[in-house]
């Protein structure tokens, strides 16, 4: 079974500062993928970043980076230089080996972290 | 990134009626589409996975006869909530992916209110 744990129901950060959103996962799969999605109050889910379990480098996408520590089974999202528009729910998700492609693709989501960026 | 459009964004229907929600991939062919339900301040719960031209695969506990899913083409999947009840009120969101893609792309979601 796969499980995603996000222990921070809410986080606050000052504008222009960096913030780390925590995510730990549990799986027995050797190959898996980790995702972060942003959900603004409007509801849509916006894909932010992906990390494969065999990727040697931590993933980065603009102001987003994923701090992947495989031995600790953690995949924390780091947002640098926070902006007011970053205020949203953030979900960590996982796709296991069995659900890696085609019709077997399946994401397991954490409960999310509500990030508030203060001016 | 790929664009997924979901329609309508909000719908209010009377108890006992059916409502259809559409999910379209606008600029790519989606071999697989997914339907999720999200309760307020909760995570996304996968309801079903659909592949073009075949029957949807429902998650355990999801009523197949209440939540009808059709994936008639590579760009369109529909979710029909039949005989809706107030407890079906929720936020429904679809996602779509191409066969070789790593990530799935989400629609804007539909807020269903059954009165």
């Amino acid at each position: 079974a796969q499980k995603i744990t996000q222990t921070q129901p809410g986080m606050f950060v000052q504008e222009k500062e960096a913030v780390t959103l925590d995510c730990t996962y549990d799986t027995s799969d050797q190959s898996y993928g980790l995702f972060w999605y942003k959900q603004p109050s409007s509801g849509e889910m916006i894909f932010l970043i992906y990390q494969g379990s065999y990727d040697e480098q931590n993933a980065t996408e603009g102001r987003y980076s994923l701090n992947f520590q495989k031995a600790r089974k953690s995949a924390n999202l780091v947002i640098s230089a926070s902006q007011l528009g970053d205020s949203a729910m953030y979900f960590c998700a996982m796709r296991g080996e069995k659900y890696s492609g085609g019709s077997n693709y399946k994401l397991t989501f954490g409960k999310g972290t509500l990030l508030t960026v203060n001016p | 990134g790929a664009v997924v459009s979901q329609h309508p964004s909000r719908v209010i229907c009377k108890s006992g009626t059916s409502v259809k929600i559409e999910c379209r991939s606008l600029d790519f062919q989606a071999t697989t589409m997914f339907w999720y339900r999200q309760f307020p301040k909760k995570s996304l719960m996968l309801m079903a996975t659909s592949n073009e031209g075949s029957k949807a695969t429902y998650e355990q506990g999801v009523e197949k006869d209440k939540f009808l899913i059709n994936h008639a083409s590579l760009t369109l999947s529909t979710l029909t909530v039949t005989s809706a009840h107030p407890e079906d009120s929720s936020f429904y969101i679809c996602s779509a992916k191409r066969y070789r893609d790593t990530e799935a792309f989400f629609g804007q979601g539909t807020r269903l209110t059954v009165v």
Side-chain angles (χ1 to χ4, degrees):
Chain A
Q2 298 174 121
K3 186 177 180 181
I4 293 285
T5 302
Q6 295 180 253
T7 58
Q8 307 155 314
M11 287 285 285
F12 293 88
V13 65
Q14 286 297 121
E15 195 178 5
K16 299 181 184 178
E17 292 186 352
V19 63
T20 298
L21 305 184
D22 295 342
C23 172
T24 57
Y25 59 91
D26 190 21
T27 182
S28 57
D29 291 345
Q30 295 299 310
S31 174
Y32 50 88
L34 296 154
F35 303 77
W36 277 92
Y37 284 88
K38 171 185 177 182
Q39 187 178 41
S41 57
S42 53
E44 74 269 31
M45 294 283 284
I46 302 168
F47 167 73
L48 295 178
I49 197 166
Y50 167 80
Q51 178 85 42
S53 59
Y54 288 115
D55 293 342
E56 295 183 355
Q57 303 274 356
N58 283 346
T60 59
E61 288 286 348
R63 294 186 299 112
Y64 304 108
S65 60
L66 199 152
N67 184 1
F68 181 47
Q69 298 189 38
K70 196 170 183 177
R72 294 186 175 186
K73 293 189 174 180
S74 73
N76 298 339
L77 177 70
V78 180
I79 305 174
S80 62
S82 297
Q83 302 172 356
L84 295 178
D86 293 335
S87 294
M89 279 291 287
Y90 288 81
F91 290 96
C92 180
M94 176 178 185
R95 180 264 301 147
E97 185 172 32
K98 181 180 177 182
Y99 305 106
S100 59
S103 60
N104 289 328
Y105 187 96
K106 179 176 178 178
L107 292 177
T108 300
F109 284 86
K111 293 186 176 181
T113 296
L114 180 62
L115 176 67
T116 302
V117 180
N118 294 317
Chain B
V3 179
V4 177
S5 177
Q6 194 171 332
H7 179 79
S9 58
R10 291 179 179 272
V11 59
I12 300 173
C13 70
K14 291 185 177 181
S15 187
T17 63
S18 296
V19 61
K20 181 184 286 187
I21 303 169
E22 291 187 349
C23 179
R24 294 181 183 272
S25 55
L26 297 185
D27 53 0
F28 69 100
Q29 292 185 325
T31 51
T32 308
M33 288 186 168
F34 310 85
W35 288 96
Y36 294 84
R37 182 173 180 175
Q38 186 178 26
F39 292 99
K41 299 185 180 180
K42 297 289 186 182
S43 187
L44 279 71
M45 181 190 77
L46 180 65
M47 299 174 66
T49 302
S50 73
N51 293 294
E52 184 264 339
S54 62
K55 289 184 178 180
T57 302
Y58 289 82
E59 295 298 301
Q60 192 172 8
V62 177
E63 297 177 63
K64 300 178 183 181
D65 295 332
K66 166 165 276 299
F67 300 101
L68 300 178
I69 292 171
N70 182 276
H71 192 163
S73 76
L74 285 171
T75 59
L76 173 64
S77 176
T78 60
L79 167 67
T80 301
V81 182
T82 63
S83 187
H85 290 280
E87 56 264 32
D88 298 327
S89 298
S90 192
F91 188 70
Y92 294 88
I93 190 164
C94 72
S95 71
K97 71 180 292 290
R98 290 172 287 218
Y99 185 77
R100 293 186 181 278
D101 279 353
T102 299
E103 69 270 30
F105 296 93
F106 284 80
Q108 308 95 316
T110 297
R111 187 159 305 283
L112 170 64
T113 303
V114 184
V115 297

